[in-house]
Amino acid sequence: MSIIENEAALHVAHRDNHTHRDVNGGWLRPAVFGAMDGLVSNLALMTGVAGGDVSHRTIVITGLAGLAAGAFSMAAGEYTSVASQRELVEAELDVERRELRKHPKDEENELAALYESRGVEAGLAREVARQLSQDPEMALEIHAREELGIDPGDLPSPLIAAVSSFGAFALGALLPLLPYLLGAQALWPALVVALFGLFGCGAVVARVTARSWWYSGLRQLALGGAAAGVTYALGTLFGTAVG
């Protein structure tokens, strides 16, 4: 009895400890990278304009325009990209569906050969393929997974991708603009908020990577800060030249 209880306890411990990182990133990866993109691009845009020694009003209008233009661009691009990908997948699924309808035995043999190539005994592979092929939708799902590497029931939504990209980018782009909207007259409060935001985004990215949070945070802080510094220098140079 104690042996069974010990084995059960070991099984529970293994189940609880045997976890993996989300290697696909789920919703976190696109959301964080969308926010980071908005933050870096709008910060660079605003510092570039500020380097040209323009008015407070001009910087605010530039930041708002950058937020709106970037968010709509991201949403449109993401919608088109995901919709095109989904249409391609659906077209390939239609091809596979026709093949299953016209040549069911050939497709069954193909599935059996696939299992054999992975080490399943020939007779068992044929029996598994036969049973799976009894249900056309199940057969389609198996062939799609094995041949195309996709799940027909889990295709991405273009609308959700567009809305999430719009929101994430807008949120990131708002950070460097927020101090100005709250009454700041100088660039440094926007820089402070943006740099903290860059570090925070980088730290969150560590959840989907093998790096430590402080390394990811400092790396993104350095990259975003460099982008802002370069654009500020260019803005100063161009502002002097134009002036």
Side-chain angles (χ1 to χ4, degrees), residues 106-140:
D106 290 339
E107 292 295 312
E108 181 181 322
N109 292 336
E110 183 180 296
L111 193 59
L114 176 65
Y115 289 139
E116 283 188 59
S117 70
R118 295 186 176 179
V120 179
E121 189 271 330
L124 180 58
R126 288 194 296 272
E127 178 61 21
V128 170
R130 185 191 67 80
Q131 292 188 28
L132 291 175
S133 299
Q134 298 302 307
D135 181 354
E137 287 304 313
M138 173 62 72
L140 176 64

Side-chain angles (χ1 to χ4, degrees), residues 60-198:
V60 172
I61 292 174
T62 299
L64 289 171
L67 185 157
F72 279 111
S73 176
M74 283 285 291
E78 195 71 17
Y79 184 91
T80 302
S81 174
V82 173
S84 299
Q85 180 185 11
R86 186 181 179 111
E87 289 163 3
L88 174 61
V89 168
E90 289 174 343
E92 292 300 315
L93 287 174
D94 285 340
V95 171
E96 191 64 37
R97 191 176 284 109
R98 286 196 299 271
E99 289 298 312
L100 285 167
R101 186 171 59 252
K102 293 179 180 178
H103 309 288
K105 196 62 182 177
D106 290 339
E107 292 295 312
E108 181 181 322
N109 292 336
E110 183 180 296
L111 193 59
L114 176 65
Y115 289 139
E116 283 188 59
S117 70
R118 295 186 176 179
V120 179
E121 189 271 330
L124 180 58
R126 288 194 296 272
E127 178 61 21
V128 170
R130 185 191 67 80
Q131 292 188 28
L132 291 175
S133 299
Q134 298 302 307
D135 181 354
E137 287 304 313
M138 173 62 72
L140 176 64
E141 180 178 335
I142 296 296
H143 280 274
R145 287 178 182 273
E146 298 292 350
E147 297 177 26
L148 303 176
I150 59 173
D151 182 356
D154 191 28
L155 299 181
S157 166
L159 183 59
I160 291 177
V163 171
S164 60
S165 294
F166 183 96
F169 186 97
L171 181 62
L174 180 63
L175 283 180
L177 184 60
L178 197 57
Y180 282 102
L181 296 177
L182 294 177
Q185 299 296 315
L187 179 61
W188 70 264
L191 282 173
V192 170
V193 171
L195 293 177
F196 270 108
L198 286 167

